[in-house]
Amino acid sequence: SSGINAEWPIRPGEHEKEVLKFDALSSSWWRDDKDPLYLMNSVRIPLLKSLARQIDFPDPQILDVGCGGGYLAEELAKQGFDVTAIDPSEEMIRIASNHANKFPGDLDLRYQAATVEEVTEQFDMVVSSEVVEHVPCVATFVSQCAGRVRPGGGLMFTTINRTVASWLFAIMLAENVAGLAPPGTHEYHKLVPPHTLTGAIADCNSSD
């Protein structure tokens, strides 16, 4: 085990601060289809479908960890997947549920205000998209997500790499110039480089 942990200090109340931050953003979800997070579905959905083909589970059950307002979870359900989506923000879950209820068809989609450590069951696939850069400890979060994957299942994370380009485009331009997200949504020192994420996943595999 490499003992990988968060690369930024964990301060008391850090988790609660992140939840309050996203509570404040809840009204911005589903305003239009130009939201960068929504547009990322064009990349995330094919990746998840590819992962689903690699695992030996017909009609896989998916856990979406940190679902926010439901951009990914709802689209996965519309694609025919059985989805459980969780987020610690009750306000985000309310927004996501209200939007899903507008869909005329029947969706295999359940929302729950919860953190991943509160989930007791396992799933064929676990996905967490644009979340690891907001958690207090990457290694702990990755381990908790991995623990919710059934043997032989799949685990997928997407996040923003810690690079100068990310600082320029995702923080300075997107937040401070274009106003695509409120300033402070992302903090550069919390962005997760690939070696940290892959190392945390490798630690999970080595402890099995």
Side-chain angles (χ1 to χ4, degrees):
S1 172
S2 61
I4 292 175
N5 205 311
E7 295 192 358
W8 46 280
I10 300 173
R11 296 181 292 273
E14 198 69 43
H15 170 75
E16 290 77 9
K17 186 183 80 170
E18 289 292 326
V19 173
L20 289 173
K21 178 194 296 184
F22 285 96
D23 278 346
L25 294 175
S26 61
S27 62
S28 66
W29 288 71
W30 298 109
R31 286 191 303 197
D32 58 54
D33 58 4
K34 301 296 190 298
D35 188 312
L37 273 177
Y38 181 83
L39 295 175
M40 284 178 62
N41 277 350
S42 63
V43 175
R44 297 186 292 194
I45 297 294
L47 284 174
L48 276 162
K49 285 185 172 180
S50 176
L51 178 60
R53 289 192 293 269
Q54 296 175 42
I55 63 175
D56 190 22
F57 292 102
D59 304 318
Q61 296 177 321
I62 298 176
L63 175 66
D64 181 3
V65 179
C67 64
Y71 286 158
L72 180 59
E74 184 173 306
E75 186 59 33
L76 285 171
K78 288 178 180 178
Q79 299 272 342
F81 289 100
D82 183 331
V83 182
T84 298
I86 63 171
D87 197 281
S89 168
E90 293 185 5
E91 184 61 21
M92 283 292 194
I93 292 298
R94 184 186 68 81
I95 293 290
S97 298
N98 286 345
H99 192 272
N101 288 337
K102 298 176 183 178
F103 189 66
D106 291 327
L107 299 179
D108 284 329
L109 175 59
R110 294 155 301 282
Y111 285 110
Q112 181 181 355
T115 58
V116 65
E117 61 263 36
E118 293 172 320
V119 176
T120 57
E121 62 265 45
Q122 290 187 313
F123 297 80
D124 304 322
M125 297 169 59
V126 174
V127 58
S128 186
S129 189
E130 318 313 310
V131 176
V132 295
E133 67 269 28
H134 299 290
V135 302
C137 179
V138 173
T140 298
F141 180 74
V142 168
S143 177
Q144 290 167 341
C145 289
R148 275 66 186 175
V149 181
R150 290 192 179 104
L155 175 64
M156 190 181 98
F157 297 96
T158 66
T159 188
I160 304 172
N161 191 9
R162 190 193 300 165
T163 65
V164 173
S166 296
W167 172 81
L168 178 62
F169 291 104
I171 297 178
M172 293 304 297
L173 292 179
E175 296 182 11
N176 299 318
V177 177
L180 298 177
T185 299
H186 295 97
E187 299 176 59
Y188 181 76
H189 68 284
K190 294 183 183 179
L191 301 184
V192 181
H195 73 268
T196 297
L197 188 54
T198 56
I201 295 171
D203 277 358
C204 294
N205 291 333
S206 66
S207 63
D208 289 342

